[in-house]
Amino acid sequence: CENHGNLTIQCAGAAPIRSGFGGICGIVYMNGVSFTGCENYGNVIRTDDAAKAASNNGSATVGGILGRSAAWFTNGFDTRYENCVNEGTVQVSCRHSGGIMPNSSGARLDAAGGIVGAAIGVGDQFQRIISCHNKGAVVGGWTTAVNTTALGGLVGLATGTEITGSISSSDVRSVDATYYIGAAGGAVGFARRDVVLAGDCLIQSRIDAWTPSGKSLLTGLLFGNVVTAATASDLRVAGEI
């Protein structure tokens, strides 16, 4: 499948709970779904109206291929992504309560990734991202003093996810110096648990991010934040923060 159109979603007032938007698919809500050879060239942008937005306890997820593969962030699926490419800009800029800290649960935040916004595996059945490439910018943040955004070159938020043979060659950045984020990673912005990077991955990203004084800003060329467990092997890393 290919998408060449732009997708723009703006919500004024209360935002949808646990919303997901992607260049190919918004939400996966079952086991056994595969994206093979899918390509997105359009921009996928999810924003709130800053003048009218209400603080939201849900999560907004945006991805170049898929927005979200999860029910709750503790209940996911065995989705597979293989030979997928994103070249469009992926952006999420919404208002949520709370903020990102090193031990955060992952709830009540925005997550954007070049391939998938939120990837949550189920038990020992990991989500698998195989030989995918993100070339598009991953952008986000919110204008008030809340650091609720997680940006990843491949995945915004992940649990039980294995990434092999994949490439991220993108900018990961705040919208501008007035938009604040909590976590940014060249591969994964917010790794909650059991995230694996292996098999000749190439992560080459430029990260530009800001956060309010006194708030966490968690950045890395591989992972922005790891809450419980993640591993990395047999890969190449380059770039700057």
Side-chain angles (χ1 to χ4, degrees):
C1 298
E2 290 186 16
N3 174 54
H4 293 265
N6 296 324
L7 179 65
T8 303
I9 307 96
Q10 184 182 81
C11 295
I17 300 299
R18 291 185 290 131
S19 59
F21 304 94
I24 302 297
C25 181
I27 297 174
V28 163
Y29 212 79
M30 62 185 291
N31 284 327
V33 176
S34 295
F35 297 89
T36 304
C38 295
E39 300 178 0
N40 176 57
Y41 299 95
N43 300 326
V44 185
I45 299 173
R46 162 74 170 91
T47 65
D48 280 344
D49 183 337
K52 300 178 181 178
S55 183
N56 178 26
N57 286 328
S59 296
T61 54
V62 180
I65 303 299
L66 175 68
R68 169 168 61 87
S69 180
W72 302 94
F73 287 162
T74 54
N75 181 7
F77 306 104
D78 63 353
T79 310
R80 182 184 180 99
Y81 320 76
E82 189 166 5
N83 295 317
C84 295
V85 176
N86 175 61
E87 294 194 14
T89 295
V90 177
Q91 179 178 337
V92 64
S93 299
C94 306
R95 178 176 177 175
H96 296 282
S97 59
I100 294 177
M101 297 179 290
N103 62 344
S104 295
S105 69
R108 294 176 296 279
L109 55 80
D110 292 337
I115 301 299
V116 54
I120 310 297
V122 53
D124 60 356
Q125 301 178 59
F126 279 20
Q127 299 213 7
R128 301 194 184 279
I129 299 172
I130 304 165
S131 300
C132 293
H133 189 177
N134 176 44
K135 305 176 185 179
V138 182
V139 184
W142 188 245
T143 57
T144 60
V146 180
N147 61 331
T148 53
T149 304
L151 308 175
L154 295 172
V155 185
L157 180 147
T159 294
T161 299
E162 182 180 73
I163 303 168
T164 57
S166 295
I167 300 171
S168 176
S169 53
S170 68
D171 285 351
V172 179
R173 56 182 172 82
S174 300
V175 176
D176 61 38
T178 67
Y179 280 73
Y180 304 122
I181 70 166
V188 179
F190 191 95
R192 293 179 67 246
R193 185 182 69 253
D194 300 331
V195 178
V196 178
L197 274 170
D200 197 29
C201 289
L202 171 62
I203 309 301
Q204 186 171 4
S205 294
R206 182 175 184 268
I207 299 175
D208 283 306
W210 296 265
T211 209
S213 176
K215 300 288 185 178
S216 295
L217 174 57
L218 312 171
T219 59
L221 290 176
L222 286 181
F223 305 106
N225 183 44
V226 176
V227 178
T228 302
T231 62
S233 62
D234 189 24
L235 50 80
R236 293 167 289 162
V237 183
E240 63 179 356
I241 299 174

